[in-house]
Amino acid sequence: MLSIETADASQVVTSDQIDERLRDTYQRVGLRTGLLERLAGIRERRWWAEGTTFVNGAATAGAKAISESGVDPARIGVMINTSVSRRYLEPSTAVAVHHELGLPRSCQNFDVTNACLGFVNGMELAAAMIESGMVDHALVVNGEDSRIVQERTIDQLNRPETVSKDVLAQFATLTLGSGAVAMLLGRSDLHPEGHRLVGSVSRSGSEHHELCVGDNEMMRTDLKGLLDAGLALSEDMWADAAEEFDWAGGMDRYIVHQVSKVHTKAMCDRFSIDPALVPTTFPTRGNLGPASVPFTLAGQQDTLADGDRVLLMGVGSGLNVSCLEIAW
């Protein structure tokens, strides 16, 4: 890993603002305002300003990552976009980001989507392509936009036929946030100054693929079912990983998927992780989807020292889980 950079959406949207827009619905169905901050621990999230898209954000983060790495864009062999957000079924979002970045025709580009685990999967795929000799450098990008689905969810929940069950089923939609992040990876023999990707372990629990289902109109989530299944699958993966990795012995930093304070506490409790080693971005950025893990890592990079061991811990609805270690 040679660089990791972010692009922040500019418009701050507080949970109080969303509560105010849903006040009448909350009162009618018998729910208290303040659910987002009280239960999820999310004070605010961000939206892109009018006229700015998640593609613009991904390209901005990508340009910053390329500049910070010092790598000539002509040497980037592949660009992988991992965004859940997309405007079209085709073409890929990757082509729009590739075009905006002005990457060369020799740079292959495509989308990899796997819910909130997409960026970690993109890192794994980029690393495999570098390791195999297919490319020398790879750029992984992600841009997410929560505005459209949240606006539509608020409108839906304000309909007179809404009941408390509908609010709870769509609660997770209101925890989302907008933002972008990009990472430049290269061969370790060409870049001894980089941070080495040590290895990863993944597990799938695809029997849970209906616990969280969403599109550009809405997202319905079984919050308890998703949390319980995610923790159980993560525990199985953790046990299997012990044969090859000594993660249970303690890491210097744990970068976990940013869902809520409930999810973070449950992860720390289940794996006996010191919460002081688990930085959070969800209180001010919400759940950035696949951008959340790398976005949080980017905010920690100036506090990490040579030799630190960093564990990325991702969960994606569907259900998939993955841990990836970086030697800083």
Side-chain angles (χ1 to χ4, degrees), residues 268-284:
C268 291
D269 290 346
R270 184 68 61 96
F271 301 110
S272 301
I273 296 173
D274 181 357
L277 301 177
V278 183
T280 59
T281 53
F282 66 79
T284 59

Side-chain angles (χ1 to χ4, degrees), residues 263-318:
H263 176 272
T264 302
K265 183 179 186 303
M267 291 287 286
C268 291
D269 290 346
R270 184 68 61 96
F271 301 110
S272 301
I273 296 173
D274 181 357
L277 301 177
V278 183
T280 59
T281 53
F282 66 79
T284 59
R285 297 302 187 278
N287 178 354
L288 292 173
S292 73
V293 166
F295 192 99
T296 305
L297 174 63
Q300 291 292 299
Q301 58 185 326
D302 291 338
T303 71
L304 294 167
D306 290 347
D308 281 351
R309 300 178 67 190
V310 181
L311 190 65
L312 311 187
M313 305 177 71
V315 180
S317 59

Side-chain angles (χ1 to χ4, degrees), residues 55-88:
V55 169
N56 301 145
T60 297
K64 290 168 65 177
I66 295 170
S67 176
E68 181 64 25
S69 73
V71 172
D72 183 345
R75 298 173 62 196
I76 299 174
V78 64
M79 190 213 77
I80 303 172
N81 171 67
T82 64
S83 307
V84 167
S85 297
R86 62 187 307 114
R87 184 177 178 184
Y88 308 112

Side-chain angles (χ1 to χ4, degrees), residues 11-44:
Q11 184 176 344
V12 176
V13 179
T14 67
S15 292
D16 287 343
Q17 289 174 300
I18 291 179
D19 280 345
E20 185 59 34
R21 293 179 64 177
L22 290 170
R23 181 175 297 277
D24 291 344
T25 294
Y26 281 156
Q27 290 178 345
R28 182 168 51 79
V29 302
L31 293 173
R32 293 169 52 196
T33 58
L35 285 174
L36 287 164
E37 186 165 355
R38 187 171 65 253
L39 295 183
I42 296 173
R43 299 190 302 274
E44 60 192 40

